[in-house]
Amino acid sequence: MAQVNVRIDDKVKKEAENVLDEMGMPMTTAVTIFLKTVARERRIPFEITADSFYSEYNMRYLEQKMNAYKNGALHTSTHELIEE
């Protein structure tokens, strides 16, 4: 039997352990399921995307808009498709 060692953020590990405990599944079993699925399907068994909503640029933009809103300086307009 092989052994795999990985380094993972403490918070991520704890959160995953909590969820897996609720499912009654040890982390070793979850990792084994993941690796068996990768081997069988020859792919990562879930979609991996870069959600542009959470990009650094967009988060800065939203933060600036929120600050402007809080300061009463946000200028808005009604879209032409919205009836007043």
Side-chain angles (χ1 to χ4, degrees):
M1 176 137 331
Q3 183 172 348
V4 177
N5 295 311
V6 296
R7 296 181 66 76
I8 188 88
D9 181 80
D10 291 333
K11 183 179 178 190
V12 171
K13 179 181 179 277
K14 187 65 180 166
E15 289 174 356
E17 283 177 328
N18 290 340
V19 172
L20 292 168
D21 283 344
E22 290 175 15
M23 295 177 178
M25 181 184 303
M27 189 170 297
T28 299
T29 302
V31 172
T32 299
I33 290 169
F34 170 75
L35 293 175
K36 283 184 174 187
T37 304
V38 168
R40 182 179 62 251
E41 298 180 7
R42 302 184 56 78
R43 67 180 188 90
I44 302 293
F46 45 83
E47 185 176 351
I48 299 174
T49 62
D51 187 346
S52 60
F53 181 83
Y54 294 103
S55 70
E56 185 177 331
Y57 170 82
N58 197 47
M59 297 310 289
R60 275 196 317 268
Y61 174 81
L62 293 172
E63 191 174 292
Q64 290 169 354
K65 292 297 181 183
M66 190 55 138
N67 287 336
Y69 170 76
K70 288 178 181 178
N71 295 327
L74 183 64
H75 301 287
T76 61
S77 61
T78 303
H79 193 278
E80 64 188 37
L81 296 177
I82 299 175
E83 296 180 23
E84 292 185 50

